Structure formats: structure tokens, C-alpha cells
Amino acid sequence: MFNARSDTLYDKVSFRKLALGGNTCVVAVDGFYEWKDASRNSIGSGGSSGGKQPYFVHRKDGLPLLLAGLWTSVPTGRCNQEMMETFTILTTQSAKQLSWLHHRQPIILWNVHNAIKWMHKPSKQVLDEISNEASFVHHDNLVWHPVTKQMSNSQYSGMDCTKPISLETVPSVKQFFTAGITKSTSRIKKEQGNEDKRNREQAKASNNPYASVKNDDSVVEKSNHQYSQKSND
């Protein structure tokens, strides 16, 4: 098994035997990967869209992450009785800052003393301590970024495995039409506002014989002479 759930570690015979037997270990890694369903509208630097987007989780300061684990030796099955040492990583509930990415995460050992206790004096109490610290304590030193989708291929080992990529979002068909409707609505409102303004100006000018207002339908003009004529009548 690749991972072992910390909450059922002492319930599973195979894992409990390793924990009680002292087969605990600490695994130092540059970081770990987690996959998230990518938006259909997102495009990575490689030009592909959709599918699962891998993210690389690591320490901001560049130091290795220390992960709690279990190890054992198993026969390779070859005729010379060759043994192979293997290990598994313990997982726990994701910390709040990573919950958007996945509901589980490795048990990260931020406290060196807890790492030493897990290696030399493992117990269920110690397991609970390191599990709670990983899940419920916020660590600003933990960061992440999207990486190439080539990492979804287990055979891939390119130099860009941990290189950050940019994710671009393209408008969907719905967003395209919504934007068009919004633009049309704004234009109509603007035209209506201009028409209201012209109407107000025209109404104001109709009470002022000295004013001149021009609109799309007619030109209203009144001169001093016309006003004088009207007054004489």
C-alpha cells in the first residue's frame, strides 16, 4: 500500500504490527503532489485543458518536508532470497489551507522532537499528536503551485517536474453570451439616459424663450424679436 491512514493505523493488523514493532520512520522529501479536477475553461502553459491538474506542495524556504511513515523488508521473490526495504507514508485529515486541494494529506512533521519520538518511541499518543499538528495547525511555510500535466504519467521524470506553470482561463460559451447581453444592456441604459437628458433639457428650454435646443426630431428656436412680438400681441 502506498499510504496508511493514521486514524486506522492501530486497527489494521499489518500496520499495527509495524508500529508496535518499532518499524517507524521519517521520510524527507522535496514536496508531494496532489491532483485537482481542472476547470474546463482553464488552460495550462502546455496548452491542454480539462482533466486533473497536478499541484506541487512544498516548503516556502526550500527545505525538505519530513513525513511520518512505516517501513518493512519484503522478499523480492528472486531465487537468491534477496530482500527489499519498502515504506509507506501516513496520511491524516487535510489542514484547512489544503482542504481545497484534497481531503487527505501526509503527516508533515514540523516539530523535530515529535519526529524523533515517532522514530524511537512510537505510540498511539504520539501518533495523535503528530496527526493533530499536521491537520489543525496553520503553517505559513507550506506553499503550492500547479505543475505540468505530464506528472500524471507515472513514467515521466522530466526536469520540469516541480517547475511552476501558469493557468489561464478562457471564457466559456455561457460567459460569452452573458458578456454580450451585459454589454447590450449597458448600451441601452446609456442611450436611455441620454434621451432622458435631452427631454429634460427640451422641457427646460420650452419655458425659456431665450434658449435654443436641438434634438433628433425638430429644432426649437426662439429669438428676442419673436418674444417681443408675442408680448405685444
Side-chain angles (χ1 to χ4, degrees):
M1 294 183 181
F2 182 71
N3 293 328
R5 294 177 64 100
S6 61
D7 44 314
T8 59
L9 184 71
Y10 283 90
D11 297 328
K12 300 274 180 92
V13 176
S14 56
F15 293 144
R16 183 176 69 243
K17 183 178 179 181
L18 293 177
L20 295 176
N23 285 49
T24 54
C25 64
V26 172
V27 183
V29 297
D30 292 327
F32 62 90
Y33 296 91
E34 200 55 75
W35 279 254
K36 179 75 173 177
D37 286 331
S39 167
R40 288 178 295 178
N41 301 327
S42 67
I43 298 179
S45 59
S48 59
S49 62
K52 287 184 176 292
Q53 173 62 53
Y55 288 81
F56 182 62
V57 185
H58 59 101
R59 287 180 62 126
K60 186 190 300 184
D61 57 15
L63 294 177
L65 285 174
L66 302 181
L67 309 180
L70 296 170
W71 71 273
T72 188
S73 297
V74 295
T76 61
R78 298 173 182 172
C79 58
N80 59 359
Q81 302 296 318
E82 183 181 26
M83 299 293 290
M84 177 179 64
E85 292 186 345
T86 182
F87 68 91
T88 184
I89 299 295
L90 305 189
T91 65
T92 185
Q93 175 185 336
S94 282
K96 185 177 181 181
Q97 62 199 110
L98 285 180
S99 59
W100 68 275
L101 186 57
H102 200 276
H103 66 284
R104 304 285 298 181
Q105 70 165 67
I107 292 183
I108 302 173
L109 298 165
W110 297 99
N111 188 317
V112 175
H113 298 292
N114 282 343
I116 294 173
K117 283 196 293 185
W118 175 245
M119 283 193 296
H120 299 291
K121 295 181 180 180
S123 67
K124 193 174 186 310
Q125 180 180 350
V126 173
L127 178 61
D128 289 341
E129 289 177 5
I130 61 177
S131 179
N132 288 336
E133 182 186 20
S135 297
F136 302 111
V137 178
H138 181 88
H139 295 281
D140 293 329
N141 206 10
L142 192 64
V143 294
W144 52 86
H145 58 257
V147 294
T148 173
K149 287 187 177 179
Q150 294 275 29
M151 288 306 300
S152 297
N153 181 355
S154 59
Q155 302 299 317
Y156 187 73
S157 58
M159 296 298 292
D160 59 345
C161 288
T162 62
K163 183 180 179 180
I165 65 169
S166 59
L167 297 180
E168 299 179 4
T169 301
V170 296
S172 65
V173 175
K174 181 179 179 181
Q175 289 172 326
F176 176 79
F177 283 107
T178 301
I181 292 172
T182 302
K183 187 175 180 180
S184 298
T185 303
S186 298
R187 185 175 65 252
I188 292 172
K189 287 183 177 180
K190 184 177 180 180
E191 291 174 354
Q192 289 176 340
N194 292 338
E195 184 177 355
D196 291 343
K197 183 178 180 180
R198 288 196 298 268
N199 291 337
R200 287 194 301 270
E201 290 176 348
Q202 184 174 348
K204 182 178 179 181
S206 64
N207 296 323
N208 183 358
Y210 298 99
S212 175
V213 178
K214 182 179 179 181
N215 58 24
D216 295 336
D217 300 320
S218 63
V219 176
V220 180
E221 295 183 348
K222 292 187 179 181
S223 64
N224 293 337
H225 177 71
Q226 290 173 325
Y227 178 73
S228 298
Q229 261 191 341
K230 186 175 180 181
S231 297
N232 294 332
D233 293 342

